[in-house]
Amino acid sequence: MTSHGGMDEPNLVPLLDLILQLVMFFMAITSFAKENISEAVRLPQAQSAKPLDDEELHRNELVYLNVEENGDMRVRSFTDENGTQWYLHGKIDDVLTDDAGKVAPGPDGKPQHEPRLRRERFDKYFQRVFDNRAQLVRRNLGADASDDVKLKAAVAQSTIIVLRAHQQADYRDIYEILSKCRRAGFSKMQLRATMDTAHP
């Protein structure tokens, strides 16, 4: 009660602070999800699919790969232990670039494409991701950190490659990506699809 006999007004500042923090949290979660999922990729439909094991997803690091219709791959950038940032533009394609990484236009002024470049860039990407995961896993291995065989096995067992391929993407591109994942050392992979609700 106040000295004038009226009721005290409730203090809304803590409540407003809580609401603001919740809004910021959901904005950050939404932004993180958008980095992993490309809206340009329309997933194929599956009449039946195995549901995802939530426990397995939480135990592993997920690496999302979004393969577009033309075979280009959208990836999330990452920073290695040396502080080097990789794949800031978030795309691996077959466009010819100069030494500075800028697009080198052809005589007609349009970007030039070289399919061989995409394959080489895929190899480099998967090896960099594997090496980066190995640096993180090495900290948890303790005495086994110097054993390359155990380190590679630990990375393979703790990482899931999540492939989101456009429904019109060429199967050869998908197969090549999966093959390069295996060659880099990854063994757990998932293909994402949407459920065909027309068929119960």
Side-chain angles (χ1 to χ4, degrees):
M1 286 227 174
T2 62
S3 58
H4 301 291
M7 296 295 291
D8 281 336
E9 292 286 330
N11 185 2
L12 297 178
V13 173
L15 179 63
L16 292 174
D17 186 44
L18 176 63
I19 292 173
L20 181 60
Q21 288 183 22
L22 285 172
V23 168
M24 291 170 58
F25 170 76
F26 287 118
M27 286 174 62
I29 292 295
T30 303
S31 175
F32 180 75
K34 284 184 177 179
E35 284 183 3
N36 289 328
I37 298 173
S38 172
E39 294 179 7
V41 174
R42 289 195 342 246
L43 295 177
Q45 289 191 339
Q47 292 184 9
S48 63
K50 180 182 176 184
L52 297 173
D53 184 354
D54 289 339
E55 187 177 334
E56 184 181 7
L57 293 178
H58 287 108
R59 284 197 317 261
N60 294 276
E61 178 73 21
L62 304 182
V63 178
Y64 284 85
L65 308 176
N66 293 275
V67 182
E68 298 180 345
E69 187 175 358
N70 65 355
D72 292 346
M73 192 166 70
R74 293 205 172 267
V75 298
R76 191 165 168 234
S77 63
F78 63 89
T79 305
D80 63 20
E81 281 195 337
N82 300 322
T84 304
Q85 290 186 313
W86 297 100
Y87 304 99
L88 287 176
H89 62 286
K91 190 172 185 177
I92 301 175
D93 54 27
D94 60 359
V95 176
L96 284 170
T97 57
D98 58 20
D99 292 337
K102 293 182 180 178
V103 175
D108 57 357
K110 295 181 180 179
Q112 303 174 77
H113 297 268
E114 174 53 62
R116 176 183 51 82
L117 279 179
R118 182 187 284 137
R119 291 191 292 272
E120 292 174 0
R121 289 169 179 169
F122 282 168
D123 281 327
K124 287 181 182 177
Y125 170 77
F126 290 122
Q127 195 57 58
R128 282 174 179 153
V129 171
F130 191 90
D131 291 344
N132 190 57
R133 288 286 304 135
Q135 289 176 345
L136 299 173
V137 169
R138 184 178 280 116
R139 298 176 190 160
N140 301 326
L141 283 180
D144 293 332
S146 58
D147 188 333
D148 284 343
V149 174
K150 289 184 178 178
L151 178 62
K152 289 178 180 179
V155 173
Q157 286 302 309
S158 65
T159 310
I160 297 178
I161 301 294
V162 180
L163 186 62
R164 302 180 72 255
H166 194 284
Q167 59 187 349
Q168 299 298 328
D170 194 319
Y171 177 74
R172 286 177 298 181
D173 294 331
I174 307 304
Y175 179 79
E176 184 175 17
I177 289 171
L178 292 175
S179 297
K180 289 182 181 299
C181 283
R182 287 204 176 275
R183 279 201 293 271
F186 297 108
S187 59
K188 290 184 176 180
M189 299 172 206
Q190 292 182 348
L191 293 173
R192 293 290 169 92
T194 57
M195 287 294 292
D196 186 355
T197 56
H199 297 80

